[in-house]
Amino acid sequence: MANVVIVGAQWGDEGKGKVVDIYTEHAQQVVRYQGGNNAGHTLVVGEEKVVLHLIPSGILHPGKRCIIGNGVVLDPKVFLGEIVNLKKRGYFQDDSQLVVDSNLHIIMPWHKAIDIAREKVPNRKIGTTGRGIGPTYEDKVGRRGIRLGDLIKPQVFRRKLQEVLPEKNFLLEKFFGETPLNEEEIFTEYSEYAAQIAKYVGCGSTLLAKAIKRGDNVLFEGAQGTLLDVDHGTYPYVTSSSTCAGGVCTGTGVAPRSLDAIIGISKAYCTRVGEGPFPSELLDAVGDTLRSTGHEFGATTGRPRRCGWFDAVALREAVRLNGLTGLAITKLDVLNDFDAIKVCTGYSYQGQLLEDFPRDPDVLRDCHPVYEEFEGWKSDICDAKSYDQLPAAARSYLKKLEDLSGCPIVLISVGPRRDQTIQLSSPFA
C-alpha cells in the first residue's frame, strides 16, 4: 500500500496532469484536494489532447475511483460540461467512478462577478482567472458559503440564497457599479445543476478511510503550485487555497500519518502566470523561445505564461515546505536546442547573496538571480527510453538539479505523450 501526493513545486503549470495520469496505473483511488477550475491539467493520450479543470486525471482510466475532495471549490456548470465532454470522447462511461464530496463549496454567480470587478480596480490587479475562486474561499472561511450538500436540498439552498444574495448585490451595485443578480434566475439555474450532480455526491473522507484501511493505493492530485500557496506563496500574488502537501489533509479528511510519498513536479525551466515577483524571468528572445517551444499558454485562460530559467532557490523552498520525497522533471525536451542553459542558484539582494527564498514579496521583487551556466545538449531527446539514453550534457544538468534541491529525481518527461517518460523509481514500489 502507498498513498502518494502530487504537488506543483513551482508556480503551477508544471505538468502535474501527465504525472498523475502515469501514476494512476498503480492507484485505485485518485483524489483532487484543493483549488477549482482556475487550474487546467493537460494530458496527451496517444495523439489526443485532453484538458481537465476539476475532475481528477485518473478519470481517463476505467475502473479507477476519482474523488473531488471537500477542499475543492466547484463551479457546477463547468463540472457538468467537463463530464459531457469526457463521455462524448469515450471516457468516463461508468458514473460510479466519480464521487464529489458533499462538503465542498459551490462557486456562485456573485463570486465570479466580484472576482472580475475587483480585477478592474486600478492598482489592485492580482492576475486572477476571474473564475470566482478567491471570493468562494472567502465565503467559506467567513461561514457564509453554500456547500454542495446545501445545493442539493432545495429548501436549504433557497434559504441560504436569500441570506447571502442581498449583501452581494449591495457590494456589486453600490461599490463596484455592477448590475445586481436575480435570485429567482439563480435558484432555477442552480437547482437544475443540483439535480444532475446529485448522483455523484458522497463523503470522500469516509470512502478514503475505508480504501486506505483495505490497502488501496491512493493518489492525491494537487492544483497550482507551492509558490502560489495562500500561506506560503508570494502573497498577495497567490491562489486562495493550500497548494502544499499539507492541504491534502484538510482538503480530503485524510490523516497526515497516512501519507507515504510526496512527489514535487517541476519543469526543467520556470514559468508563471499572472502578476507577482519572478526573479529568473526572461524578458528577451530566450524567454520568447521557451514560451513558443514549450507551448506556454494557460490551459484555463489561454494567457501567455511568463518564462525564465530554472530557479533552484524556489525549488529548495518547495522541497522544504512539502517534505518532498522525489522530483518529477517535466518538459526537459523544451531545452533541446539551446547552446547554453542557465540555473538560478541564488539571489542577490542589496549586494548580499541570499541562498534561501525570502518570505517578503517586496524583497523577492528586488532580488536579482545569480546564475550558473551549463552546456546544452543540442539534440532531440524525445525518443529516449532510459536515463542512459539521454545525452551526457542532459544527465549533467539533471544531476545538478538534484544536488541543488537535495531531492532525488524519480521521473523525467521528455515529451507530452505517456510513452515519452523515463521513470527512475516508483513511489508505489
Side-chain angles (χ1 to χ4, degrees), residues 24-37:
T24 294
E25 178 184 347
H26 307 284
Q28 287 76 50
Q29 315 278 335
V30 185
V31 192
R32 170 80 179 271
Y33 62 87
Q34 50 75 222
N37 59 300

Side-chain angles (χ1 to χ4, degrees), residues 57-246:
S57 306
I59 203 72
L60 303 183
H61 296 253
K64 308 292 184 177
R65 174 184 277 160
C66 294
I67 297 174
I68 300 179
N70 58 273
V72 173
V73 292
L74 186 132
D75 186 320
K77 184 177 181 180
V78 173
F79 170 71
L80 292 168
E82 201 161 286
I83 288 175
V84 169
N85 185 51
L86 282 166
K87 288 182 178 291
K88 192 180 297 182
R89 298 172 76 169
Y91 300 107
F92 186 31
Q93 299 303 299
D94 178 6
D95 283 333
S96 68
Q97 193 182 348
L98 180 63
V99 176
V100 186
D101 196 287
S102 60
N103 279 356
L104 63 70
H105 282 247
I106 300 297
I107 299 172
M108 299 299 296
W110 55 81
H111 295 133
K112 290 180 275 191
I114 290 170
D115 201 2
I116 293 168
R118 283 175 177 163
E119 285 289 287
K120 296 178 184 176
V121 177
N123 302 318
R124 286 186 58 184
K125 185 176 176 65
I126 296 295
T128 76
T129 60
R131 269 38 176 195
I133 310 301
T136 307
Y137 278 112
E138 288 176 37
D139 280 353
K140 173 180 178 176
V141 175
R143 300 180 297 277
R144 54 183 174 268
I146 295 176
R147 301 198 293 186
L148 180 56
D150 304 322
L151 185 68
I152 61 176
K153 300 173 187 171
Q155 290 182 329
V156 175
F157 178 42
R158 173 70 82 175
R159 173 173 56 81
K160 294 218 166 203
L161 193 57
Q162 291 173 342
E163 290 172 356
V164 175
L165 187 57
E167 176 188 328
K168 302 304 181 183
N169 274 339
F170 181 86
L171 181 61
L172 283 168
E173 188 175 16
K174 303 301 182 183
F175 187 81
F176 291 114
E178 301 289 341
T179 305
L181 302 168
N182 182 277
E183 178 191 320
E184 202 58 43
E185 290 178 0
I186 294 173
F187 182 79
T188 300
E189 179 184 356
Y190 278 69
S191 293
E192 292 175 359
Y193 295 150
Q196 297 177 64
I197 294 174
K199 62 184 174 183
Y200 301 111
V201 179
C203 179
S205 177
T206 302
L207 289 171
L208 285 169
K210 291 178 179 178
I212 291 170
K213 186 175 182 179
R214 68 172 172 261
D216 283 4
N217 288 337
V218 182
L219 185 61
F220 296 91
E221 173 182 354
Q224 288 92 30
T226 297
L227 299 177
L228 294 178
D229 186 277
V230 67
D231 287 300
H232 302 290
T234 51
Y235 191 89
Y237 303 101
V238 293
T239 193
S240 304
S241 59
S242 298
T243 61
C244 291

Side-chain angles (χ1 to χ4, degrees), residues 6-10 14-16 19 263-267 326-328 330:
I6 301 296
V7 296
Q10 297 170 314
E14 301 97 345
K16 295 180 292 296
V19 178
I263 307 300
I265 317 302
S266 172
K267 284 176 183 166
L327 284 174
T330 62

Side-chain angles (χ1 to χ4, degrees), residues 11 270-272 274-284 286-287 290-291 304-311 344 365 367 369 371:
W11 279 279
C270 261
T271 64
R272 179 167 193 167
E275 307 298 316
F278 182 8
S280 67
E281 182 175 13
L282 297 169
L283 301 172
D284 57 13
V286 176
L290 285 171
R291 185 178 304 107
R305 295 178 184 134
R306 301 156 63 190
C307 296
W309 292 122
F310 190 93
D311 189 332
C344 172
R365 192 182 299 279
C367 284
Y371 288 121

